[in-house]
Amino acid sequence: MARFGIDIWMTTLAIAEGYKVCQSYLGAKIHDAKDPGSDLGPMFAQVVSSVYGLMADYHDLWKGLKGSN
């Protein structure tokens, strides 16, 4: 079960599908007390997996871009 990567997935999907993106204050995000280093490996793998999956899903969109806007 994936626990990480939702932020990059949701943002990329919204941009790639042409939805409006904005910022909103939702309050503090409370995390469970734990050793922050214990999840770094799975976190990295899941976030990178999300990024590469999105790059594959939207490769036609990305390859047409030149420079940054």
Side-chain angles (χ1 to χ4, degrees), residues 15-63:
I15 293 169
E17 295 293 329
Y19 291 97
K20 292 182 180 180
V21 178
C22 64
Q23 181 175 330
S24 178
Y25 179 73
L26 300 176
K29 183 176 181 181
I30 308 300
H31 294 276
D32 296 334
K34 61 184 174 193
D35 175 16
S38 66
D39 285 328
L40 287 180
M43 181 187 305
F44 178 79
Q46 290 172 25
V47 171
V48 169
S49 176
S50 293
V51 170
Y52 276 88
L54 290 162
M55 288 184 343
D57 291 345
Y58 293 103
H59 71 279
D60 288 333
L61 177 67
W62 310 133
K63 71 181 182 182

